[in-house]
Amino acid sequence: MNKINGYTEDEAKSLVQFVREERGAGKTLSLIFENYARKTGRAKGSVRNYYYALLRSNGDERVRKLLNGTGLKAEKILQFSEKETDEMLKAILTQKSKGVSVRKAVLNLADGDDKLMLRYQNKYRNVLAKQPERIERLMRECGLTVGGTDEMRSRLEDEINGLYDRLATGLKEENKRLTAVIKKLSDENSLLRLQIKNLT
């Protein structure tokens, strides 16, 4: 099997087996990706992206054989209905009116599901940018004070941008940690080579 996102065939088998066992234990995919990332030293996002890329590689006979009988399949992403969008926006706006940040509100709504959190966040940001009048209408329906839409949009965009910045910082820190591990292993390798050379 050709590599997908840098995984070998053995790594693919290992991930499929891990996901299958963890799903059997009732764990969420988000937690499974996090646990597998911790176990292998890979980034959680990389594990998630690889998993979905693998499930969608059904044109490869070896992938079909690997997944055969596992029950694992890519879930179809459903679009939010207008009603679901309004309910989600109202929930965020209501929490926001109580002093909860947009980031925290989105996390609360997603109940720890990273994928769902990003979907909520993206939908929220999209509506905020393209349909500010919808936000105002929903605020009125919730009995919330409708302030300056531009000011509210700016404040919310700052919070969402802050969330992206925090995610980027987390990835940078993970990259630094992995670089340090690679350096340590490289130094140990050089030391071992020197010791072997001295023995001969």
Side-chain angles (χ1 to χ4, degrees), residues 92-93 95-107 117 121 124-125 128 151-167:
I92 292 173
L93 292 168
Q95 289 188 52
K96 178 81 175 110
S97 73
K98 295 174 182 173
V100 175
S101 69
V102 171
R103 175 179 179 269
K104 181 68 175 166
V106 169
L107 283 170
M117 181 196 81
Q121 176 183 286
Y124 183 72
R125 190 173 195 180
L128 185 65
E151 180 187 341
M152 181 180 68
R153 182 186 307 147
S154 175
R155 216 170 48 239
L156 295 175
E157 284 180 351
D158 286 346
E159 288 185 22
I160 291 170
N161 288 336
L163 172 60
Y164 279 118
D165 290 344
R166 285 188 289 278
L167 289 171

Side-chain angles (χ1 to χ4, degrees), residues 36 55 60 70 74 89-90 99 102 113 131 140 152 163 178:
Y36 192 79
L55 293 184
D60 188 320
T70 64
L89 292 171
K90 283 180 179 181
V102 171
D113 184 330
Q131 299 176 299
R140 278 192 292 273
M152 181 180 68
L163 172 60
L178 291 174

Side-chain angles (χ1 to χ4, degrees), residues 1 7-16 36:
M1 175 171 35
Y7 279 54
T8 65
E9 188 168 350
D10 285 342
E11 287 174 313
K13 286 178 183 174
S14 171
L15 176 60
V16 166
Y36 192 79

Side-chain angles (χ1 to χ4, degrees), residues 42-149:
R42 291 184 178 271
K44 178 181 175 182
S46 166
V47 173
R48 180 188 60 239
N49 292 343
Y50 174 76
Y51 174 74
Y52 286 112
L54 180 68
L55 293 184
R56 293 187 180 109
S57 299
N58 54 11
D60 188 320
E61 178 60 33
R62 285 168 290 184
V63 172
R64 283 200 299 273
K65 187 184 266 188
L66 178 66
L67 296 173
N68 187 35
T70 64
L72 301 178
K73 58 185 178 181
E75 297 166 8
K76 186 179 178 183
I77 296 177
L78 301 172
Q79 296 297 319
F80 290 112
S81 69
E82 291 301 305
K83 182 179 178 184
E84 288 170 331
T85 300
D86 282 354
E87 287 173 0
M88 181 264 293
L89 292 171
K90 283 180 179 181
I92 292 173
L93 292 168
T94 300
Q95 289 188 52
K96 178 81 175 110
S97 73
K98 295 174 182 173
V100 175
S101 69
V102 171
R103 175 179 179 269
K104 181 68 175 166
V106 169
L107 283 170
N108 290 341
L109 282 174
D111 197 26
D113 184 330
D114 290 345
K115 187 177 170 188
L116 187 57
M117 181 196 81
L118 287 172
R119 287 187 68 215
Y120 283 152
Q121 176 183 286
N122 291 339
K123 185 65 173 178
Y124 183 72
R125 190 173 195 180
N126 187 38
V127 172
L128 185 65
K130 298 180 178 177
Q131 299 176 299
E133 69 288 347
R134 185 175 190 172
I135 298 286
E136 287 184 5
R137 175 178 59 78
L138 294 171
M139 286 181 74
R140 278 192 292 273
E141 287 178 15
C142 290
L144 305 173
T145 305
V146 179
T149 304

